[in-house]
Amino acid sequence: MKKKSVVIGDIAKQLNVSKTTISFIINGKAKEKRISDELEDKVMRVVDELGYVPSPLAKSLRTGKTNIIGLIVEDISNPFFALIARKIEERANNNGYKLFYCSSENDTKKTSELIRLFRQRQLDGYIITPAAGTEKDINILLNENLPVVLFDRYLPDIEANYVIVDNFGSTYNAINHFVEQGCKSIAFISLDSEQTQMKERLIGYKKAISDNNLKHIIKKIAFRGNTTNYTEEIRSFLKTETHVDAVFFATNYLAISGLEAIVSLQKKIPDDIGVIAFDDHDLFRLFAPSITAIAQPIEQISAHLLDIILNSINDSANIQIARKMVLPANLIIRRSSLKKERIIKPE
Amino acid sequence: MKKKSVVIGDIAKQLNVSKTTISFIINGKAKEKRISDELEDKVMRVVDELGYVPSPLAKSLRTGKTNIIGLIVEDISNPFFALIARKIEERANNNGYKLFYCSSENDTKKTSELIRLFRQRQLDGYIITPAAGTEKDINILLNENLPVVLFDRYLPDIEANYVIVDNFGSTYNAINHFVEQGCKSIAFISLDSEQTQMKERLIGYKKAISDNNLKHIIKKIAFRGNTTNYTEEIRSFLKTETHVDAVFFATNYLAISGLEAIVSLQKKIPDDIGVIAFDDHDLFRLFAPSITAIAQPIEQISAHLLDIILNSINDSANIQIARKMVLPANLIIRRSSLKKERIIKPE
DNA sequence: CTGAAAGCGCTTACAG
DNA sequence: CTGAAAGCGCTTACAG
């Protein structure tokens, strides 16, 4: 039943021309190899007629190229990563590349396996949100001069391309915005994580707090997967720390659990407690009240990631110089952080 | 720089054993081929030592198998599809398969291209949300006896496996729930789509409306991509149809646009207008008021999809009998559809 | 029990 | 201008 597909030999036989010549023509080297126009036309006609498509598998085995870029994200069901994946996919397609994506669940072993798998499949480029402890695997790629770019976070011990946002600055600004709104007890709820983006968000918070002579109120929660519900932890934290009048959530899923906790405690946003989330969400603007968020520039991040990969592929000489990009992230001020109108201004 | 990786010949040379024998041992056929235990041990030791991994590319070229399953979803940034992808990926990994996913944007041409691409790469199975007009491409897969399963919708003209939910019944129930709550003018907002799931949701609506002697109020919106904002259309519809006291949104992204429209019109949910959405969303339960939704059984759908594919792969004899599964979808009643308490009960 | 050899479908250095 | 042949790294029918 399985109809055997047309192979290069079929064309060669039918026309009494060598496979070499067919291959040259298919790959656009007809001019370069000075193949006569008539032969070229004749071959192309038969190729079209028989619907011949070179087997990418055989091609890859021979050339070592696949025209596929691999993307490893922490979790494809996290909207931030899903949007990034979509954008990169779109751009990759427009450039003749396919994108394959997988989720690492932020697990060292899974990430290693995926990297190895992609490498075995000879993918042409690697876009990775690195889990801690994957330095070794990434170094292997680097040593082989393969195009690699990290994003969302980076690994301090590795000289690799990366694209991240200004986690420090954007958090610093967000906390200052709280201060301007008159908040005095600003909590920072985060994961107990050594990842660079989390650390930088924390440093941004601390700096803003010190600059304003306020007190740190930091709650770190142990990471238990990003589909986990962290409501209970946040609820009991907020229940104890009753003086807290504003809270900054360091990730989008913490923010969702946090909102649930706040609702269940019957606290009013923003009057009882102001809220800012890191990462925007399609429903935040519709929430009652709408939720202030730091929005990462998804379009730009995606564009830079793919550009870096494509440049590396096309110019492996330049591959050695690590490109490190830090993009600004935008604080979108909505109702959840606005207390000012209720505060009696001095003067 | 690029360290050439270890190949089967290296092992063979080092041990002075044929590649055939190595291959048998690697593939667990040592017993079957009655290879001596000592030889097996010796080979395995060297394999481990050198870190030899067979090239999947070469293997695939030879065997025609890749151990990769392809998933084509309408849009990976739609949470429903992202969650499905995640679940299938998890299960596939546990069964020794990799999952590659791509978005079709519900576009006939893109879907065709992706199917063809997957086929060229010789993926072992195909899980597809079919766009209209892709019958031909899917038939090609079917004719080649390749494992295929459709989901979310199906193509009426094609005898293929599929996994869908009871779109008719779940919508019927949802509308009846509105009726029980005393709603009289229940609108159905949908896409102008010929897809089976959309048609069945519409039929469920119509049946419930007729059964209760109410009047149809149907708004079909032209599909312009699933990241599009449909707020304006819905807003002007609701502005005209002021008597509408309940609205059913046939997809999750329509619901989000719809909520935005309702908010901007300053209508109160559920007092002025009741709301039910098809597909749940992680923030619906936190909304004020929380949003009633029909939740598809994501875990089950994913499980069945992968099972069908794995069964087809392992038992190509049975592949011909199309398996058609219709799973129940659950109406999760939240505040947005509850009007009863405000209605004076007769008696 | 084990191996030599063909072949999966390409590309490319080499030769003429 | 064009072709014969080697080789990418495997697996497997065949032979002994």
mmCIF file of all heavy atoms in Angstrom, chain B residues 293-318:
data_model
loop_
_atom_site.group_PDB
_atom_site.id
_atom_site.type_symbol
_atom_site.label_atom_id
_atom_site.label_comp_id
_atom_site.label_asym_id
_atom_site.label_seq_id
_atom_site.Cartn_x
_atom_site.Cartn_y
_atom_site.Cartn_z
ATOM 1 N N ALA B 293 -17.700 28.167 33.045
ATOM 2 C CA ALA B 293 -17.081 27.707 31.804
ATOM 3 C C ALA B 293 -17.302 26.220 31.584
ATOM 4 O O ALA B 293 -17.498 25.459 32.530
ATOM 5 C CB ALA B 293 -15.581 28.003 31.837
ATOM 6 N N ILE B 294 -17.269 25.833 30.320
ATOM 7 C CA ILE B 294 -17.266 24.415 29.979
ATOM 8 C C ILE B 294 -15.802 23.989 29.879
ATOM 9 O O ILE B 294 -15.059 24.506 29.052
ATOM 10 C CB ILE B 294 -17.977 24.164 28.636
ATOM 11 C CG1 ILE B 294 -19.465 24.516 28.766
ATOM 12 C CG2 ILE B 294 -17.795 22.710 28.199
ATOM 13 C CD1 ILE B 294 -20.248 24.387 27.474
ATOM 14 N N ALA B 295 -15.410 23.082 30.749
ATOM 15 C CA ALA B 295 -14.004 22.675 30.776
ATOM 16 C C ALA B 295 -13.827 21.362 30.032
ATOM 17 O O ALA B 295 -14.481 20.369 30.344
ATOM 18 C CB ALA B 295 -13.537 22.523 32.213
ATOM 19 N N GLN B 296 -12.961 21.356 29.059
ATOM 20 C CA GLN B 296 -12.670 20.116 28.352
ATOM 21 C C GLN B 296 -11.723 19.273 29.210
ATOM 22 O O GLN B 296 -10.859 19.809 29.886
ATOM 23 C CB GLN B 296 -12.028 20.414 26.999
ATOM 24 C CG GLN B 296 -12.919 21.238 26.082
ATOM 25 C CD GLN B 296 -12.444 21.190 24.630
ATOM 26 O OE1 GLN B 296 -12.272 20.130 24.068
ATOM 27 N NE2 GLN B 296 -12.234 22.350 24.038
ATOM 28 N N PRO B 297 -11.870 17.956 29.166
ATOM 29 C CA PRO B 297 -11.036 17.089 29.995
ATOM 30 C C PRO B 297 -9.665 16.900 29.360
ATOM 31 O O PRO B 297 -9.408 15.921 28.666
ATOM 32 C CB PRO B 297 -11.819 15.786 30.022
ATOM 33 C CG PRO B 297 -12.595 15.775 28.737
ATOM 34 C CD PRO B 297 -12.864 17.205 28.381
ATOM 35 N N ILE B 298 -8.783 17.838 29.633
ATOM 36 C CA ILE B 298 -7.500 17.897 28.943
ATOM 37 C C ILE B 298 -6.660 16.645 29.165
ATOM 38 O O ILE B 298 -6.084 16.083 28.233
ATOM 39 C CB ILE B 298 -6.743 19.163 29.406
ATOM 40 C CG1 ILE B 298 -7.523 20.367 28.868
ATOM 41 C CG2 ILE B 298 -5.300 19.150 28.939
ATOM 42 C CD1 ILE B 298 -6.876 21.679 29.050
ATOM 43 N N GLU B 299 -6.630 16.215 30.398
ATOM 44 C CA GLU B 299 -5.864 15.016 30.736
ATOM 45 C C GLU B 299 -6.339 13.817 29.904
ATOM 46 O O GLU B 299 -5.542 13.111 29.285
ATOM 47 C CB GLU B 299 -6.060 14.737 32.229
ATOM 48 C CG GLU B 299 -5.077 13.789 32.841
ATOM 49 C CD GLU B 299 -3.818 14.515 33.285
ATOM 50 O OE1 GLU B 299 -3.899 15.659 33.782
ATOM 51 O OE2 GLU B 299 -2.739 13.928 33.097
ATOM 52 N N GLN B 300 -7.651 13.621 29.883
ATOM 53 C CA GLN B 300 -8.214 12.485 29.153
ATOM 54 C C GLN B 300 -7.988 12.586 27.652
ATOM 55 O O GLN B 300 -7.655 11.611 26.995
ATOM 56 C CB GLN B 300 -9.720 12.427 29.369
ATOM 57 C CG GLN B 300 -10.164 11.772 30.653
ATOM 58 C CD GLN B 300 -11.676 11.684 30.673
ATOM 59 O OE1 GLN B 300 -12.280 11.068 29.799
ATOM 60 N NE2 GLN B 300 -12.283 12.342 31.637
ATOM 61 N N ILE B 301 -8.228 13.774 27.130
ATOM 62 C CA ILE B 301 -8.045 13.959 25.691
ATOM 63 C C ILE B 301 -6.619 13.588 25.314
ATOM 64 O O ILE B 301 -6.377 12.811 24.385
ATOM 65 C CB ILE B 301 -8.327 15.426 25.283
ATOM 66 C CG1 ILE B 301 -9.801 15.768 25.527
ATOM 67 C CG2 ILE B 301 -7.957 15.669 23.831
ATOM 68 C CD1 ILE B 301 -10.132 17.247 25.308
ATOM 69 N N SER B 302 -5.665 14.122 26.067
ATOM 70 C CA SER B 302 -4.258 13.861 25.762
ATOM 71 C C SER B 302 -3.950 12.376 25.840
ATOM 72 O O SER B 302 -3.245 11.822 24.986
ATOM 73 C CB SER B 302 -3.363 14.608 26.749
ATOM 74 O OG SER B 302 -3.796 15.924 26.917
ATOM 75 N N ALA B 303 -4.475 11.740 26.887
ATOM 76 C CA ALA B 303 -4.196 10.322 27.076
ATOM 77 C C ALA B 303 -4.724 9.511 25.899
ATOM 78 O O ALA B 303 -4.020 8.666 25.336
ATOM 79 C CB ALA B 303 -4.820 9.841 28.381
ATOM 80 N N HIS B 304 -5.956 9.772 25.504
ATOM 81 C CA HIS B 304 -6.538 9.007 24.407
ATOM 82 C C HIS B 304 -5.797 9.255 23.097
ATOM 83 O O HIS B 304 -5.565 8.338 22.316
ATOM 84 C CB HIS B 304 -8.016 9.354 24.245
ATOM 85 C CG HIS B 304 -8.879 8.738 25.303
ATOM 86 N ND1 HIS B 304 -8.931 7.378 25.511
ATOM 87 C CD2 HIS B 304 -9.712 9.279 26.220
ATOM 88 C CE1 HIS B 304 -9.766 7.120 26.506
ATOM 89 N NE2 HIS B 304 -10.244 8.263 26.970
ATOM 90 N N LEU B 305 -5.431 10.499 22.865
ATOM 91 C CA LEU B 305 -4.725 10.809 21.616
ATOM 92 C C LEU B 305 -3.447 9.988 21.512
ATOM 93 O O LEU B 305 -3.184 9.342 20.492
ATOM 94 C CB LEU B 305 -4.384 12.302 21.555
ATOM 95 C CG LEU B 305 -5.559 13.242 21.278
ATOM 96 C CD1 LEU B 305 -5.132 14.693 21.427
ATOM 97 C CD2 LEU B 305 -6.109 12.994 19.878
ATOM 98 N N LEU B 306 -2.679 9.997 22.590
ATOM 99 C CA LEU B 306 -1.416 9.283 22.515
ATOM 100 C C LEU B 306 -1.634 7.771 22.443
ATOM 101 O O LEU B 306 -0.945 7.077 21.697
ATOM 102 C CB LEU B 306 -0.511 9.630 23.694
ATOM 103 C CG LEU B 306 0.906 9.137 23.439
ATOM 104 C CD1 LEU B 306 1.536 9.913 22.294
ATOM 105 C CD2 LEU B 306 1.761 9.234 24.667
ATOM 106 N N ASP B 307 -2.609 7.286 23.194
ATOM 107 C CA ASP B 307 -2.891 5.851 23.145
ATOM 108 C C ASP B 307 -3.215 5.395 21.728
ATOM 109 O O ASP B 307 -2.725 4.370 21.266
ATOM 110 C CB ASP B 307 -4.091 5.510 24.045
ATOM 111 C CG ASP B 307 -3.682 5.450 25.505
ATOM 112 O OD1 ASP B 307 -2.462 5.564 25.776
ATOM 113 O OD2 ASP B 307 -4.559 5.296 26.365
ATOM 114 N N ILE B 308 -4.057 6.150 21.076
ATOM 115 C CA ILE B 308 -4.450 5.775 19.715
ATOM 116 C C ILE B 308 -3.222 5.722 18.815
ATOM 117 O O ILE B 308 -3.035 4.785 18.042
ATOM 118 C CB ILE B 308 -5.497 6.768 19.170
ATOM 119 C CG1 ILE B 308 -6.817 6.559 19.931
ATOM 120 C CG2 ILE B 308 -5.696 6.581 17.677
ATOM 121 C CD1 ILE B 308 -7.911 7.539 19.538
ATOM 122 N N ILE B 309 -2.369 6.716 18.940
ATOM 123 C CA ILE B 309 -1.164 6.744 18.103
ATOM 124 C C ILE B 309 -0.260 5.556 18.423
ATOM 125 O O ILE B 309 0.181 4.840 17.520
ATOM 126 C CB ILE B 309 -0.391 8.065 18.321
ATOM 127 C CG1 ILE B 309 -1.145 9.230 17.700
ATOM 128 C CG2 ILE B 309 1.016 7.972 17.727
ATOM 129 C CD1 ILE B 309 -1.243 9.198 16.193
ATOM 130 N N LEU B 310 -0.026 5.321 19.704
ATOM 131 C CA LEU B 310 0.887 4.229 20.065
ATOM 132 C C LEU B 310 0.314 2.887 19.633
ATOM 133 O O LEU B 310 1.040 2.032 19.120
ATOM 134 C CB LEU B 310 1.156 4.235 21.573
ATOM 135 C CG LEU B 310 1.950 5.437 22.082
ATOM 136 C CD1 LEU B 310 2.201 5.328 23.583
ATOM 137 C CD2 LEU B 310 3.275 5.589 21.333
ATOM 138 N N ASN B 311 -0.984 2.707 19.804
ATOM 139 C CA ASN B 311 -1.602 1.466 19.352
ATOM 140 C C ASN B 311 -1.441 1.286 17.847
ATOM 141 O O ASN B 311 -1.149 0.194 17.370
ATOM 142 C CB ASN B 311 -3.086 1.437 19.715
ATOM 143 C CG ASN B 311 -3.283 1.143 21.185
ATOM 144 O OD1 ASN B 311 -2.404 0.573 21.833
ATOM 145 N ND2 ASN B 311 -4.420 1.552 21.727
ATOM 146 N N SER B 312 -1.652 2.349 17.121
ATOM 147 C CA SER B 312 -1.516 2.262 15.667
ATOM 148 C C SER B 312 -0.086 1.905 15.280
ATOM 149 O O SER B 312 0.144 1.106 14.379
ATOM 150 C CB SER B 312 -1.872 3.590 15.013
ATOM 151 O OG SER B 312 -3.191 3.949 15.302
ATOM 152 N N ILE B 313 0.864 2.504 15.969
ATOM 153 C CA ILE B 313 2.262 2.235 15.640
ATOM 154 C C ILE B 313 2.581 0.761 15.883
ATOM 155 O O ILE B 313 3.226 0.112 15.067
ATOM 156 C CB ILE B 313 3.206 3.125 16.485
ATOM 157 C CG1 ILE B 313 3.099 4.583 16.036
ATOM 158 C CG2 ILE B 313 4.647 2.642 16.365
ATOM 159 C CD1 ILE B 313 3.905 5.553 16.879
ATOM 160 N N ASN B 314 2.096 0.257 16.993
ATOM 161 C CA ASN B 314 2.459 -1.106 17.371
ATOM 162 C C ASN B 314 1.619 -2.179 16.701
ATOM 163 O O ASN B 314 1.937 -3.352 16.775
ATOM 164 C CB ASN B 314 2.344 -1.264 18.881
ATOM 165 C CG ASN B 314 3.319 -0.363 19.589
ATOM 166 O OD1 ASN B 314 4.424 -0.132 19.092
ATOM 167 N ND2 ASN B 314 2.913 0.184 20.722
ATOM 168 N N ASP B 315 0.564 -1.786 16.077
ATOM 169 C CA ASP B 315 -0.345 -2.780 15.541
ATOM 170 C C ASP B 315 -0.961 -2.250 14.255
ATOM 171 O O ASP B 315 -2.132 -1.897 14.204
ATOM 172 C CB ASP B 315 -1.442 -3.058 16.582
ATOM 173 C CG ASP B 315 -2.420 -4.105 16.083
ATOM 174 O OD1 ASP B 315 -2.101 -4.786 15.086
ATOM 175 O OD2 ASP B 315 -3.499 -4.222 16.678
ATOM 176 N N SER B 316 -0.131 -2.184 13.234
ATOM 177 C CA SER B 316 -0.583 -1.519 12.024
ATOM 178 C C SER B 316 -1.698 -2.293 11.324
ATOM 179 O O SER B 316 -2.342 -1.792 10.419
ATOM 180 C CB SER B 316 0.581 -1.280 11.074
ATOM 181 O OG SER B 316 1.287 -2.478 10.905
ATOM 182 N N ALA B 317 -1.950 -3.518 11.769
ATOM 183 C CA ALA B 317 -3.048 -4.284 11.180
ATOM 184 C C ALA B 317 -4.371 -3.621 11.529
ATOM 185 O O ALA B 317 -5.261 -3.474 10.697
ATOM 186 C CB ALA B 317 -3.029 -5.708 11.714
ATOM 187 N N ASN B 318 -4.454 -3.197 12.780
ATOM 188 C CA ASN B 318 -5.702 -2.647 13.286
ATOM 189 C C ASN B 318 -5.926 -1.201 12.879
ATOM 190 O O ASN B 318 -6.936 -0.599 13.210
ATOM 191 C CB ASN B 318 -5.703 -2.722 14.808
ATOM 192 C CG ASN B 318 -6.679 -3.762 15.274
ATOM 193 O OD1 ASN B 318 -7.641 -4.033 14.559
ATOM 194 N ND2 ASN B 318 -6.435 -4.339 16.427
#
